[in-house]
């Protein structure tokens, strides 16, 4: 049993995507993911260490200067300011946009 519409589909050729562009996009996505992970680790690690220190030994951790505690909290929150810059640099030509803003 043959289908008339099936015989017509063999005439159409699928467009092959540009594999070079796919690899370039994959590479940029991997770089962005690594940068987001790296920034998360850098910004949150000091806060987590102080927090774990307090959890494990609250008496000695209370001797820590409050400015250091505040600094680690602010540093952890700063991660949320960096993430949009990472995404923006991925979707925009960051260098040319920065030059246009500064002029």
């Amino acid at each position: 049993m043959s289908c008339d519409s099936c015989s017509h589909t063999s005439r159409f050729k699928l467009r092959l995507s540009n594999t070079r562009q796919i690899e370039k996009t994959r590479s940029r996505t991997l770089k962005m993911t690594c940068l987001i992970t790296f920034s998360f680790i850098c910004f949150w690690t000091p806060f987590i260490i102080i927090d774990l220190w307090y959890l494990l030994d609250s008496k000695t951790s209370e001797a820590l200067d409050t400015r250091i505690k505040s600094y680690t909290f602010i540093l952890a929150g700063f991660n949320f300011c960096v993430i949009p810059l990472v995404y923006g640099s991925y979707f925009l030509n960051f260098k040319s946009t920065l030059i246009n803003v500064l002029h």
Side-chain angles (χ1 to χ4, degrees):
M1 184 172 189
S2 103
C3 174
D4 290 335
S5 64
C6 293
S7 64
H8 297 293
T9 58
S10 63
R11 289 188 288 175
F12 296 108
K13 293 187 178 183
L14 295 176
R15 186 183 88 181
L16 295 175
S17 297
N18 186 355
T19 56
R20 184 174 165 186
Q21 182 65 29
I22 290 173
E23 288 301 319
K24 184 178 176 183
T25 303
R26 184 179 295 153
S27 174
R28 288 183 69 205
T29 304
L30 179 62
K31 288 177 187 177
M32 180 182 68
T33 304
C34 290
L35 187 58
I36 289 171
T37 304
F38 179 74
S39 68
F40 179 83
I41 290 169
C42 288
F43 288 119
W44 279 96
T45 299
F47 179 76
I48 296 299
I49 289 172
I50 298 291
D51 204 32
L52 285 174
W53 182 17
Y54 180 78
L55 183 66
L56 297 174
D57 189 11
S58 61
K59 290 181 183 178
T60 60
S61 70
E62 288 180 5
L64 187 65
D65 189 5
T66 57
R67 289 178 291 183
I68 294 174
K69 292 177 186 177
S70 297
Y71 169 74
T72 59
F73 183 73
I74 291 169
L75 187 65
F78 189 67
N79 180 58
F80 298 112
C81 300
V82 171
I83 298 298
L85 296 175
V86 173
Y87 282 125
S89 67
Y90 179 74
F91 290 111
L92 301 173
N93 187 350
F94 191 71
K95 187 177 180 180
S96 67
T97 304
L98 182 64
I99 290 171
N100 289 337
V101 168
L102 294 176
H103 282 109

